[in-house]
Amino acid sequence: MATEHDALTTPEILAGLDHWQTLPRVQQPTWPDDDALDAALRELSATPPLVFAGEADDLRKRLAAAQQGEAFVLQGGDCAESFADATADRIRAKIMTILQMAVVLTYGASLPVVKMGRMAGQYAKPRSADTEVRDGVELPTFRGDAVNGFEFTAEARVPDPQRLLQAYHVSASTLNLIRAFCSGGFADLRHVHRWNQGFMQNKAYKRYEKIAQEIDGAIRFMSAAGVDFEALKTVDMYSSHEALLLDYERALTRIDSRTGQPYICSAHFVWIGERTRQVDGAHVDLLSRVRNPIGVKLGPTATADDALQLAEKLNPRGEAGRLTFITRMGADKIRDLLPPILEGVKSEGIPVTWVCDPMHGNTIKSTSGYKTRRFTTVLDEVRGFFEAHNQVGTVPGGLHVELTGDDVTECLGGSEEIDDIGLARRYETLVDPRLNHQQSLEMAFAVAEMLHL
């Protein structure tokens, strides 16, 4: 398909990529040293790409299939990754969790699952305020490891451009491990199924036994029928993160040698957040000019008109798989707010992949003071998402979940019945609460029941 860039020369494309610098921009760090920032960005601009344009193109095709109801998207990972947690064990645990969820969802949906890790780049977060106060001391807010340190000290909270380079290098090593795990036999369907059988040994998950037995029967049938399990030893897993730090994303934008088109090469899929989706703002402008598949978060203030304007700006040619809307309305609002947006987009015939983020609209403060989410509320938003699409006649294309492969205690409830007191046992997140390994798998089985109806 022809693109809006086809008639432009490379210098014209490069000039357009910098137009965002003339526009209003929000949620950007206040870097204290412009020379140090420029030096870091020059170094980033000379680095090899973290992902390749052809991989992003492949993902766009798979997202187009999800848009048509021919695939289902699972996007999962940390709220905010940390450099310290980018270890082989923790990366493997997250991959393992996503693969386990994907097997269950594949069965529930009877569709291939497009696997995206919210990994290898989620090192920056938007914040509600530029500073925070503790015991009368005011310091810059923590904006993620790519910007400043989590420790509440004046030295740690100063934005440091060298952290952008560290984010690049940690992302590269993380992607290297992801590729190794997904191609070296770790992702073998039979292994993943055995992991899920271990999950089912816990009596708390007895309600999902029927689905687990059906999956087991399906795999046994495939084996008896002579299915080539060698072909099922590898999987494709794509990387994704919020394209929040515009300087970083622009420095990692490359012109594809095959097509002469620009791609953000920090991840296969990047999204614009609820706080940065201003249609005339810098984030939307930059992402409108690259060829990656892109997403936009739509929260409870979003309207059908907002969605239509964003679609016109970000996907004016109506390319399938190009644009994903990730809804995050809140369980108590989604059944009222989402249908009119779906109707508006559907009535214009705009191609969109719809994905549910059931996490961000359901954050509460526990009695003991922890920022948390209730598992039952998270699941209720997923149900509302499916109900809204069923009501309008549109396709529910996937899930976007903040999760970890570790046994943390950050979200209330689940069959493990984590209570307010239990949150203190292993509350480790740097920003927002995540589903732990068991809660993530429980969600997959619960959603599989919704899909299997």
Side-chain angles (χ1 to χ4, degrees), residues 98-110 113 189 192-193 196 199-200 208 211-212 215 441-449 451-452:
I98 292 170
L99 292 175
Q100 287 180 267
M101 293 177 73
V103 167
V104 176
L105 292 171
T106 298
Y107 179 79
S110 297
V113 170
L189 176 64
V192 178
H193 176 57
N196 278 344
F199 167 78
M200 290 307 303
Y208 305 120
I211 289 179
I215 295 172
L441 296 187
E442 186 175 353
M443 166 172 271
F445 275 98
V447 175
E449 287 182 334
L451 291 165
H452 200 50

Side-chain angles (χ1 to χ4, degrees), residues 347-360:
S347 67
E348 295 296 323
I350 294 172
V352 169
T353 307
W354 294 98
V355 169
C356 175
D357 168 3
M359 308 294 290
H360 284 91

Side-chain angles (χ1 to χ4, degrees), residues 364-372 374 409-410 412 418-425 427:
I364 60 172
K365 190 172 185 178
S366 73
T367 304
S368 55
Y370 285 100
K371 188 178 184 181
T372 188
R374 295 189 184 279
T409 54
E410 296 170 1
L412 295 164
I418 296 173
D419 58 16
D420 199 343
I421 296 173
L423 291 175
R425 285 201 305 271
Y427 193 96

Side-chain angles (χ1 to χ4, degrees), residues 40 71 78 106 133 148 195 210 218 232 247 262 281-282 289 313 342 360 416 418 432:
D78 276 311
T106 298
V133 179
N148 55 2
W195 300 335
K210 182 175 184 293
L232 300 176
D247 289 316
R289 298 172 186 272
K313 177 74 174 180
L342 298 177
H360 284 91
E416 294 176 295
I418 296 173
D432 288 341

Side-chain angles (χ1 to χ4, degrees), residues 199-424:
F199 167 78
M200 290 307 303
Q201 290 172 5
N202 187 329
K203 293 181 180 179
Y205 307 108
K206 185 77 172 176
R207 59 173 290 202
Y208 305 120
E209 187 174 14
K210 182 175 184 293
I211 289 179
Q213 289 175 344
E214 289 175 357
I215 295 172
D216 186 60
I219 290 178
R220 290 175 184 273
F221 172 79
M222 286 191 292
S223 181
V227 170
D228 180 13
F229 275 96
E230 288 297 314
L232 300 176
K233 283 186 175 181
T234 64
V235 299
D236 292 321
M237 184 175 291
Y238 299 96
S239 65
S240 67
H241 63 254
E242 180 177 355
L244 183 65
L245 300 178
L246 294 170
D247 289 316
Y248 180 81
E249 304 301 344
R250 175 62 185 90
L252 286 174
T253 300
R254 303 286 182 267
I255 303 297
D256 179 29
S257 60
R258 305 166 306 151
T259 63
Q261 303 305 314
Y263 288 75
I264 287 178
C265 292
S266 63
H268 301 104
F269 178 94
V270 288
W271 74 85
I272 300 164
E274 166 74 357
R275 292 185 174 103
T276 55
R277 60 174 172 81
Q278 298 82 11
V279 72
D280 57 352
H283 289 83
V284 170
D285 186 81
L286 177 59
L287 267 64
S288 74
R289 298 172 186 272
V290 297
R291 292 286 296 138
N292 305 63
I294 57 177
V296 183
K297 291 284 189 83
L298 298 179
T301 64
T303 64
D305 188 55
D306 292 334
L308 293 173
Q309 288 185 50
L310 286 163
E312 174 60 29
K313 177 74 174 180
L314 294 167
N315 191 21
R317 292 176 178 261
E319 182 181 5
R322 158 69 172 174
L323 180 60
T324 297
F325 281 141
I326 307 166
T327 63
R328 40 156 294 180
M329 304 291 180
D332 59 338
K333 302 180 185 72
I334 190 165
R335 292 170 177 84
D336 295 325
L337 298 181
L338 184 54
I341 297 175
L342 298 177
E343 290 278 13
V345 173
K346 178 184 177 183
S347 67
E348 295 296 323
I350 294 172
V352 169
T353 307
W354 294 98
V355 169
C356 175
D357 168 3
M359 308 294 290
H360 284 91
N362 298 304
T363 305
I364 60 172
K365 190 172 185 178
S366 73
T367 304
S368 55
Y370 285 100
K371 188 178 184 181
T372 188
R373 292 153 177 160
R374 295 189 184 279
F375 184 76
T376 53
T377 308
V378 168
L379 270 184
D380 189 47
E381 176 145 3
V382 180
R383 290 191 186 91
F385 177 77
F386 280 104
E387 290 169 14
H389 282 281
N390 184 59
Q391 174 185 331
V392 177
T394 46
V395 177
L399 286 175
H400 177 118
V401 187
E402 288 185 337
L403 59 81
T404 176
D406 302 319
D407 293 323
V408 300
T409 54
E410 296 170 1
C411 290
L412 295 164
S415 293
E416 294 176 295
E417 298 182 348
I418 296 173
D419 58 16
D420 199 343
I421 296 173
L423 291 175

